[in-house]
Amino acid sequence: MDNDRIKGKVDEVAGKVKSKVGEMTGDRKTQAEGIGQQIKGKVENAYGKVKDEGRAAIEEAREKKIEHDERVEKRRDDVA
């Protein structure tokens, strides 16, 4: 799991708490900051997810290339 996803989740949870505290105390500034922190966390989490998916795609492509190379080598051996 990418560090951005972890950081994003932490910001989301902290933002929810901050927003709720602001709501309960009537502090609109704290409530707004909490909502902003939640949004920031969601963006970080999404960015981390994209990075994770990119890494997975690269790994899958590597594996397919290795399989392809092995099939080509076997065919060469069969022909020779």
Side-chain angles (χ1 to χ4, degrees), residues 6-71:
I6 296 166
K7 187 176 176 199
K9 202 55 162 168
V10 168
D11 274 336
E12 269 188 80
V13 171
K16 282 182 184 181
V17 170
K18 193 173 194 176
S19 176
K20 196 65 171 170
V21 167
E23 181 183 328
M24 292 170 59
T25 61
D27 185 346
R28 291 177 154 255
K29 182 181 177 195
T30 300
Q31 188 177 5
E33 288 172 353
I35 292 169
Q37 191 172 6
Q38 279 179 298
I39 294 168
K40 177 185 173 200
K42 288 180 184 204
V43 170
E44 287 171 333
N45 194 4
Y47 176 64
K49 186 175 181 181
V50 168
K51 286 171 44 179
D52 281 343
E53 290 172 356
R55 284 188 201 104
I58 289 169
E59 183 59 31
E60 183 179 345
R62 279 190 188 124
E63 289 172 6
K64 286 185 178 189
K65 179 170 182 347
I66 290 168
E67 290 171 7
H68 174 268
D69 291 349
E70 288 171 351
R71 283 194 307 270

